[in-house]
Amino acid sequence: MLSFLNRLIARIGAVFRSSDFDRELDAELSAHLKLRAEDLIRQGMQPDEAEHIARIQLGGIAQLREAHREIRGVPFVDTVLRDLRYALRQIRSRPGFSALAITILALGIGANTAIFSVVNGVVLRPLPFEHPERLVALFEANVIGDNNPYNTVAPANFFDWQKQATTFDQIAAISFTTFNLSGSSKELSTERVDGCGASANFFGTLGVAPVLGRSFSGDEDRPGGTPVAIISYGLWKRRFGGSDDALLQHVRLDGKLFSIVGVLPANFGYPSRTVQVWIPLEQHLAPVVLEAHDNHVLSSTIGRLKSGRTVEQARAEVDSIVKRL
Amino acid sequence: MHPRGEHAPQNKSEILQGTLDLMVLKTLEAMGPLHGYGIARRIEQISQEALRVNQGTIYLCLVRLLQKKWIKAEWGASENNRKARFYSISKAGRKQLIAETENWERVSGVIGRLLLMDGPR
């Protein structure tokens, strides 16, 4: 074992002193040839012949040198270093051509990376939700003014759609916000985090189940309901050490205590990966806001179409509901 | 070891892999410091030309032994004042020689007994 280690160290050392070793071997071999030839001459051979025979008996010097290199060094590293030196010499001798080649390579690699990023996001990794083809985003359209067809939805309209629409299994909504987050005890530091008010059916609509605990119940998603919160996987790992005990704990959001009831999967990132806390929508929004048809506070409204229903059928139905209002 | 000797007489034997190490170590132990040619000559004399040693392979063997620190090398002057590299056995080399000698005797004993076996009558 020790001899193996010694040999390894010697081999690695030899990589850096290759020319020294070559010189030493050459000196040794030429001494060998001379000594051998002298012996042969003493035995009565002619000098020319003696040198010739000495060479034959020693064997091929070039092969010997190569074998010597392989034994004493690290062959792979040796070859790579040699190639690298050769490459650098080539680059230096033809800078213009080299710059062009490097530029073309850089552009090629860049383009490849860009295309792969898009393909990866769009084709290889579709929405990480159940039956994503049945998910639709709902918006209000302005009938006056700028005619913006993608206006966010007012809570009262959302509730009307929820109650009356038949083309959807479920319609859910979230309202984006930020919280001052601190622990139930004083020693944990306070931080500012992105959060969301989410309707009780929000996670169910997307087809996402918490990895720990549960989503909101309908009773919790009421003004004055039990204050509960669902946290992101990242926050769970970071503040609660990924422990099951998190479900017995609280977070203080803007000074109010919420019991933790669920932890979302690590890959969940809607509407954004920065969102770390969710609370029931109707606890988040003031009752007066919930009743408004003209306060467009819902950042996203998402519907899951009943299987077999098309986006056009859903659009026609939602339009008719809005007109009835 | 790949002694090249296609034209050599058929009654010469190839060297068994690894035995050259043993031969070199033993030679150095018995003869004291020697240069590469001296080692090659000594092994030739002892074997009385029965072994087919390509003299160059001695140097490959010497590098390996040096790397394992079983032998030491020093530049000096040869018998007729030529610069030559002299090799001598180290303490670790002596230990290794004892171990390899025992191993060799064990193996050759087994082979010897095997070859003496009689066939079924």
Side-chain angles (χ1 to χ4, degrees):
Chain A
M1 188 60 217
L2 182 67
S3 66
F4 170 77
L5 204 67
N6 278 336
R7 186 149 186 233
L8 188 70
I9 294 168
R11 274 172 169 250
I12 293 170
V15 171
F16 303 100
R17 316 182 22 224
S18 198
S19 54
D20 287 356
F21 276 87
D22 277 345
R23 253 199 311 281
E24 279 178 7
L25 179 67
D26 282 350
E28 260 191 299
L29 293 182
S30 76
H32 179 110
L33 287 174
K34 284 192 184 112
L35 288 164
R36 181 67 184 165
E38 279 164 15
D39 273 1
L40 290 173
I41 289 167
R42 227 171 300 149
Q43 287 166 21
M45 217 175 257
Q46 290 301 307
D48 287 1
E49 202 192 349
E51 269 173 40
H52 181 64
I53 298 289
R55 268 181 199 284
I56 289 178
Q57 287 178 338
L58 182 62
I61 291 187
Q63 289 101 309
L64 192 58
R65 216 176 271 150
E66 193 55 39
H68 196 262
R69 256 183 221 135
E70 266 170 35
I71 287 177
R72 74 180 183 230
V74 187
F76 169 71
V77 178
D78 248 9
T79 324
V80 169
L81 278 181
R82 217 176 306 157
D83 286 353
L84 214 63
R85 258 180 247 133
Y86 177 69
L88 286 176
R89 265 204 307 280
Q90 289 290 308
I91 289 177
R92 212 165 348 154
S93 64
R94 303 165 77 181
F97 177 75
S98 302
L100 187 67
I102 291 169
T103 311
I104 290 172
L105 271 177
L107 287 177
I109 294 168
N112 243 312
T113 313
I115 289 171
F116 178 74
S117 306
V118 172
V119 170
N120 187 34
V122 176
V123 182
L124 301 180
R125 282 197 345 213
L127 292 176
F129 307 126
E130 215 174 274
H131 291 291
E133 73 284 353
R134 280 165 52 198
L135 289 175
V136 293
L138 283 80
F139 298 95
E140 287 187 26
N142 282 2
V143 264
I144 47 170
D146 57 3
N147 282 324
N148 174 14
Y150 298 115
N151 202 359
T152 52
V153 179
N157 293 338
F158 160 64
F159 293 129
D160 287 335
W161 292 345
Q162 246 190 347
K163 268 175 242 144
Q164 299 174 27
T166 59
T167 48
F168 292 95
D169 273 341
Q170 301 190 69
I171 303 178
I174 52 170
S175 175
F176 189 76
T177 184
T178 49
F179 294 114
N180 285 334
L181 180 144
S182 54
S184 48
S185 56
K186 287 264 190 284
E187 55 265 30
L188 286 169
S189 60
T190 303
E191 55 184 312
R192 189 95 176 132
V193 297
D194 286 339
C196 270
S199 60
N201 63 359
F202 174 64
F203 301 107
T205 303
L206 292 177
V208 171
V211 287
L212 189 68
R214 56 173 178 87
S215 0
F216 303 131
S217 72
D219 288 342
E220 286 158 353
D221 190 18
R222 292 280 172 273
T226 320
V228 289
I230 292 175
I231 60 176
S232 73
Y233 193 86
L235 185 72
W236 179 51
K237 285 279 179 201
R238 191 157 56 78
R239 272 194 99 119
F240 300 96
S243 150
D244 289 1
D245 293 348
L247 293 184
L248 305 171
Q249 308 207 26
H250 297 80
V251 281
R252 196 179 286 276
L253 301 174
D254 293 345
K256 194 178 168 198
L257 274 179
F258 290 78
S259 337
I260 297 170
V261 296
V263 178
L264 290 171
N267 66 357
F268 185 78
Y270 184 86
S272 154
R273 289 220 167 251
T274 61
V275 175
Q276 300 182 50
V277 187
W278 284 261
I279 64 169
L281 181 71
E282 294 185 36
Q283 293 188 33
H284 170 57
L285 298 176
V288 60
V289 176
L290 290 171
E291 284 161 18
H293 282 278
D294 53 357
N295 194 349
H296 307 267
V297 293
L298 299 179
S299 339
S300 297
T301 308
I302 289 178
R304 177 173 286 279
L305 294 173
K306 281 191 173 141
S307 97
R309 295 309 179 95
T310 64
V311 178
E312 283 66 36
Q313 290 170 335
R315 183 178 296 143
E317 187 189 42
V318 169
D319 278 350
S320 73
I321 295 171
V322 173
K323 281 185 187 123
R324 275 205 299 275
L325 295 172
Chain B
M1 252 136 285
H2 302 285
R4 304 179 321 145
E6 293 84 0
H7 310 298
Q10 285 300 305
N11 55 1
K12 285 196 176 185
S13 312
E14 301 268 348
I15 290 192
L16 223 60
Q17 180 87 38
T19 49
L20 192 57
D21 287 14
L22 179 59
M23 288 159 73
V24 169
L25 283 176
K26 183 66 196 176
T27 307
L28 288 176
E29 191 219 30
M31 308 281 297
L34 277 178
H35 47 63
Y37 176 57
I39 298 171
R41 190 168 49 188
R42 187 70 197 157
I43 291 177
E44 242 172 39
Q45 283 168 357
I46 299 272
S47 78
Q48 290 170 337
E49 320 262 313
L51 280 180
R52 219 195 289 171
V53 186
N54 188 316
Q55 292 177 353
T57 54
I58 294 276
Y59 292 94
L60 303 182
C61 173
L62 286 170
V63 187
R64 261 197 311 270
L65 295 177
L66 269 177
Q67 287 175 337
K68 292 174 176 169
K69 296 206 192 291
W70 290 342
I71 59 173
K72 290 174 287 195
E74 230 173 20
W75 287 95
S78 73
E79 44 266 47
N80 39 12
N81 264 334
R82 241 181 251 298
K83 203 175 154 230
R85 207 175 186 203
F86 283 86
Y87 297 91
S88 55
I89 190 164
S90 72
K91 218 168 151 189
R94 281 176 207 281
K95 254 190 236 164
Q96 179 66 18
L97 179 58
I98 293 169
E100 288 214 356
T101 307
E102 279 169 7
N103 187 41
W104 175 261
E105 279 163 359
R106 202 164 41 242
V107 171
S108 63
V110 170
I111 302 277
R113 283 198 298 282
L114 257 170
L115 294 179
L116 282 178
M117 277 194 308
D118 285 327
R121 303 267 145 116

Short mmCIF file of all heavy atoms in Angstrom, two decimals, chain B residues 56-79:
data_model
loop_
_atom_site.label_atom_id
_atom_site.label_comp_id
_atom_site.label_asym_id
_atom_site.label_seq_id
_atom_site.Cartn_x
_atom_site.Cartn_y
_atom_site.Cartn_z
N GLY B 56 16.91 -3.21 -22.50
CA GLY B 56 16.20 -1.95 -22.24
C GLY B 56 15.15 -2.09 -21.15
O GLY B 56 14.90 -1.15 -20.39
N THR B 57 14.53 -3.28 -21.05
CA THR B 57 13.45 -3.42 -20.08
C THR B 57 13.97 -3.27 -18.65
O THR B 57 13.20 -2.96 -17.74
CB THR B 57 12.75 -4.79 -20.21
OG1 THR B 57 13.74 -5.81 -20.12
CG2 THR B 57 12.00 -4.90 -21.50
N ILE B 58 15.27 -3.49 -18.45
CA ILE B 58 15.86 -3.27 -17.12
C ILE B 58 15.56 -1.84 -16.66
O ILE B 58 15.21 -1.62 -15.50
CB ILE B 58 17.40 -3.47 -17.19
CG1 ILE B 58 17.72 -4.92 -17.51
CG2 ILE B 58 18.04 -3.00 -15.90
CD1 ILE B 58 17.74 -5.83 -16.34
N TYR B 59 15.65 -0.88 -17.58
CA TYR B 59 15.47 0.52 -17.18
C TYR B 59 14.02 0.81 -16.79
O TYR B 59 13.76 1.62 -15.92
CB TYR B 59 15.96 1.45 -18.30
CG TYR B 59 17.45 1.36 -18.45
CD1 TYR B 59 18.03 0.50 -19.38
CD2 TYR B 59 18.28 2.07 -17.61
CE1 TYR B 59 19.39 0.36 -19.48
CE2 TYR B 59 19.65 1.95 -17.70
CZ TYR B 59 20.21 1.09 -18.63
OH TYR B 59 21.56 0.98 -18.69
N LEU B 60 13.11 0.13 -17.47
CA LEU B 60 11.69 0.31 -17.11
C LEU B 60 11.45 -0.25 -15.70
O LEU B 60 10.76 0.35 -14.88
CB LEU B 60 10.79 -0.41 -18.11
CG LEU B 60 10.97 0.03 -19.56
CD1 LEU B 60 10.00 -0.71 -20.46
CD2 LEU B 60 10.78 1.53 -19.68
N CYS B 61 12.07 -1.39 -15.46
CA CYS B 61 11.95 -2.01 -14.14
C CYS B 61 12.55 -1.10 -13.08
O CYS B 61 11.98 -0.93 -11.99
CB CYS B 61 12.66 -3.36 -14.20
SG CYS B 61 12.78 -4.17 -12.62
N LEU B 62 13.69 -0.49 -13.40
CA LEU B 62 14.36 0.39 -12.42
C LEU B 62 13.49 1.60 -12.05
O LEU B 62 13.44 2.01 -10.90
CB LEU B 62 15.71 0.86 -12.98
CG LEU B 62 16.80 -0.23 -12.99
CD1 LEU B 62 18.01 0.23 -13.77
CD2 LEU B 62 17.19 -0.60 -11.56
N VAL B 63 12.80 2.17 -13.05
CA VAL B 63 11.92 3.32 -12.74
C VAL B 63 10.84 2.90 -11.75
O VAL B 63 10.56 3.59 -10.77
CB VAL B 63 11.19 3.85 -14.00
CG1 VAL B 63 10.43 5.11 -13.68
CG2 VAL B 63 12.17 4.09 -15.11
N ARG B 64 10.24 1.76 -12.04
CA ARG B 64 9.17 1.28 -11.15
C ARG B 64 9.67 1.10 -9.73
O ARG B 64 9.04 1.51 -8.76
CB ARG B 64 8.63 -0.05 -11.67
CG ARG B 64 7.35 0.06 -12.46
CD ARG B 64 6.65 -1.30 -12.58
NE ARG B 64 7.57 -2.34 -13.02
CZ ARG B 64 7.79 -2.66 -14.29
NH1 ARG B 64 7.13 -2.03 -15.23
NH2 ARG B 64 8.64 -3.60 -14.62
N LEU B 65 10.84 0.46 -9.61
CA LEU B 65 11.39 0.19 -8.28
C LEU B 65 11.75 1.50 -7.57
O LEU B 65 11.55 1.64 -6.36
CB LEU B 65 12.62 -0.71 -8.38
CG LEU B 65 12.35 -2.12 -8.91
CD1 LEU B 65 13.65 -2.89 -9.04
CD2 LEU B 65 11.39 -2.86 -8.00
N LEU B 66 12.25 2.46 -8.36
CA LEU B 66 12.57 3.79 -7.78
C LEU B 66 11.31 4.44 -7.24
O LEU B 66 11.31 4.99 -6.14
CB LEU B 66 13.17 4.69 -8.85
CG LEU B 66 14.68 4.70 -9.03
CD1 LEU B 66 15.05 5.61 -10.19
CD2 LEU B 66 15.37 5.16 -7.75
N GLN B 67 10.23 4.37 -8.04
CA GLN B 67 8.97 5.01 -7.64
C GLN B 67 8.43 4.38 -6.37
O GLN B 67 7.84 5.07 -5.55
CB GLN B 67 7.93 4.87 -8.76
CG GLN B 67 8.23 5.76 -9.95
CD GLN B 67 7.27 5.52 -11.09
OE1 GLN B 67 6.67 4.45 -11.19
NE2 GLN B 67 7.12 6.50 -11.94
N LYS B 68 8.65 3.09 -6.21
CA LYS B 68 8.17 2.42 -5.00
C LYS B 68 9.13 2.60 -3.84
O LYS B 68 8.89 2.09 -2.75
CB LYS B 68 7.96 0.92 -5.29
CG LYS B 68 6.83 0.66 -6.24
CD LYS B 68 6.76 -0.80 -6.62
CE LYS B 68 5.56 -1.08 -7.52
NZ LYS B 68 5.62 -2.42 -8.10
N LYS B 69 10.23 3.29 -4.10
CA LYS B 69 11.25 3.56 -3.09
C LYS B 69 11.90 2.29 -2.57
O LYS B 69 12.30 2.21 -1.41
CB LYS B 69 10.68 4.39 -1.92
CG LYS B 69 10.22 5.78 -2.33
CD LYS B 69 10.28 6.73 -1.17
CE LYS B 69 9.57 8.04 -1.40
NZ LYS B 69 10.14 8.95 -2.34
N TRP B 70 11.97 1.27 -3.42
CA TRP B 70 12.65 0.04 -3.02
C TRP B 70 14.13 0.13 -3.37
O TRP B 70 14.93 -0.64 -2.85
CB TRP B 70 12.02 -1.18 -3.71
CG TRP B 70 10.64 -1.47 -3.18
CD1 TRP B 70 10.12 -1.02 -2.00
CD2 TRP B 70 9.64 -2.27 -3.78
NE1 TRP B 70 8.84 -1.48 -1.84
CE2 TRP B 70 8.52 -2.27 -2.92
CE3 TRP B 70 9.56 -3.01 -4.96
CZ2 TRP B 70 7.34 -2.95 -3.20
CZ3 TRP B 70 8.39 -3.70 -5.24
CH2 TRP B 70 7.29 -3.67 -4.37
N ILE B 71 14.48 1.01 -4.30
CA ILE B 71 15.89 1.24 -4.61
C ILE B 71 16.16 2.74 -4.63
O ILE B 71 15.22 3.55 -4.66
CB ILE B 71 16.30 0.63 -5.99
CG1 ILE B 71 15.45 1.23 -7.11
CG2 ILE B 71 16.15 -0.87 -5.96
CD1 ILE B 71 15.91 0.82 -8.48
N LYS B 72 17.44 3.12 -4.56
CA LYS B 72 17.85 4.51 -4.64
C LYS B 72 18.77 4.67 -5.83
O LYS B 72 19.40 3.70 -6.26
CB LYS B 72 18.59 4.93 -3.36
CG LYS B 72 17.66 5.02 -2.14
CD LYS B 72 18.45 5.28 -0.89
CE LYS B 72 19.20 4.03 -0.47
NZ LYS B 72 19.72 4.08 0.91
N ALA B 73 18.85 5.88 -6.39
CA ALA B 73 19.72 6.11 -7.54
C ALA B 73 20.63 7.30 -7.27
O ALA B 73 20.22 8.24 -6.59
CB ALA B 73 18.89 6.37 -8.79
N GLU B 74 21.82 7.22 -7.79
CA GLU B 74 22.80 8.29 -7.60
C GLU B 74 23.71 8.35 -8.82
O GLU B 74 24.12 7.31 -9.32
CB GLU B 74 23.65 7.99 -6.36
CG GLU B 74 23.73 9.16 -5.39
CD GLU B 74 24.44 8.74 -4.12
OE1 GLU B 74 25.17 7.72 -4.17
OE2 GLU B 74 24.26 9.40 -3.11
N TRP B 75 23.99 9.57 -9.27
CA TRP B 75 24.92 9.68 -10.39
C TRP B 75 26.34 9.53 -9.86
O TRP B 75 26.67 10.06 -8.81
CB TRP B 75 24.76 11.01 -11.11
CG TRP B 75 23.49 11.05 -11.92
CD1 TRP B 75 22.30 11.55 -11.52
CD2 TRP B 75 23.31 10.53 -13.22
NE1 TRP B 75 21.36 11.38 -12.51
CE2 TRP B 75 21.96 10.76 -13.57
CE3 TRP B 75 24.14 9.88 -14.15
CZ2 TRP B 75 21.43 10.37 -14.79
CZ3 TRP B 75 23.61 9.52 -15.37
CH2 TRP B 75 22.26 9.75 -15.68
N GLY B 76 27.16 8.79 -10.61
CA GLY B 76 28.56 8.62 -10.21
C GLY B 76 29.40 8.28 -11.44
O GLY B 76 28.91 8.36 -12.56
N ALA B 77 30.63 7.90 -11.21
CA ALA B 77 31.51 7.56 -12.33
C ALA B 77 31.62 6.05 -12.44
O ALA B 77 31.74 5.35 -11.44
CB ALA B 77 32.90 8.17 -12.12
N SER B 78 31.55 5.55 -13.66
CA SER B 78 31.66 4.10 -13.89
C SER B 78 33.12 3.67 -13.81
O SER B 78 34.01 4.50 -13.64
CB SER B 78 31.07 3.74 -15.24
OG SER B 78 31.95 4.18 -16.25
N GLU B 79 33.36 2.36 -13.99
CA GLU B 79 34.72 1.81 -13.84
C GLU B 79 35.73 2.55 -14.70
O GLU B 79 36.84 2.81 -14.27
CB GLU B 79 34.71 0.29 -14.14
CG GLU B 79 33.93 -0.12 -15.36
CD GLU B 79 32.50 -0.54 -15.00
OE1 GLU B 79 31.81 0.18 -14.25
OE2 GLU B 79 32.08 -1.59 -15.47
#
